[in-house]
Amino acid sequence: MAVSLRLKDELVAEIDRIATANGQTRSSWIAATLARAVVAPANDDLPNGPLQGRGHPDDLIRVTIRLHRSEIEAIEKVGAPLRLSRNEWIKRTIRWQLWDKAAILRLAPATATELGKARKLVTNMSANINQAVHAMNAANMPGSSLDIARIAGSFMESCADLKAKLFEARRSFSSSVGAEVGYWTSSHEGREA
């Protein structure tokens, strides 16, 4: 089985130095080090739990591609605003070209954050509306000393503000999701370099 690791350049240089000093390749040194760590006595008492997140071995197939450093740097540059790693950006690009339903793909972290802000805005608006309705119901109860006309009037005045906030949330939602779908499905036309 092949396993990929992401390591910092400084760590790779140290691994190469130690591996060479021991007459080993980088890969064989890492494999030997991992094997020693796995059979260490400290691991004997660890519980055997189910492997999570692995799926069936046939579900995922590893594909290796070689790119020029400038291409990698470009991928990292365009992936950074979306908070996507190099691998995540490459996988999403391929998947968006293959899939015909955008909803299958989870949104990028940056888009999910924007949607979270819109969701919070709507949640806060719902709480404000709920409080106003409770106050009007309480004012409408027999023997209540609350002035329903004043409470309802105040609520009606704030409706314009609530409508504007709801429109803002809808626009934010549409913009975020539209930008995400457009980014992954359209060609590079209209994008800034």
Side-chain angles (χ1 to χ4, degrees):
M1 175 189 286
V3 176
S4 294
L5 297 173
R6 272 196 208 123
L7 303 172
K8 295 190 181 217
D9 291 340
E10 301 84 29
L11 181 56
V12 172
E14 276 301 296
I15 290 171
D16 287 345
R17 182 182 69 79
I18 295 168
T20 302
N22 288 296
Q24 296 175 300
T25 65
R26 177 190 305 161
S27 182
S28 63
W29 185 85
I30 290 172
T33 302
L34 290 173
R36 281 192 304 275
V38 167
V39 297
N43 295 329
D44 290 345
D45 294 329
L46 294 176
N48 289 332
L51 294 176
Q52 295 181 356
R54 293 292 181 105
H56 189 272
D58 292 334
D59 289 347
L60 301 173
I61 297 173
R62 181 185 172 136
V63 175
T64 303
I65 59 171
R66 293 187 188 278
L67 299 172
H68 292 284
R69 183 172 297 278
S70 61
E71 293 169 319
I72 295 297
E73 289 169 355
I75 289 170
E76 289 171 348
K77 182 178 179 181
V78 298
L82 298 169
R83 294 195 307 257
L84 293 173
S85 70
R86 180 188 314 161
N87 275 354
E88 290 169 332
W89 189 91
I90 292 169
K91 286 191 292 188
R92 284 173 184 267
T93 300
I94 292 168
R95 288 173 178 159
W96 274 94
Q97 296 305 313
L98 296 175
W99 293 343
D100 57 358
K101 292 184 182 176
I104 294 173
L105 184 63
R106 280 185 276 160
L107 297 173
T111 305
T113 299
E114 288 305 309
L115 291 183
K117 291 177 186 175
R119 184 177 147 269
K120 185 174 182 181
L121 181 64
V122 170
T123 300
N124 290 341
M125 289 179 357
S126 299
N128 291 342
I129 291 170
N130 194 31
Q131 288 175 353
V133 170
H134 280 297
M136 285 189 287
N137 284 337
N140 201 27
M141 298 294 284
S144 173
S145 62
L146 298 173
D147 181 11
I148 191 166
R150 186 182 60 76
I151 293 170
S154 174
F155 176 69
M156 295 305 288
E157 289 173 8
S158 65
C159 279
D161 183 46
L162 291 172
K163 184 177 178 182
K165 286 182 179 178
L166 185 58
F167 182 75
E168 176 189 338
R170 181 176 154 227
R171 186 177 25 178
S172 174
F173 179 81
S174 296
S175 173
S176 296
V177 173
E180 172 99 6
V181 171
Y183 180 88
W184 296 110
T185 59
S186 67
S187 65
H188 293 288
E189 56 189 325
R191 287 192 215 164
E192 292 180 15

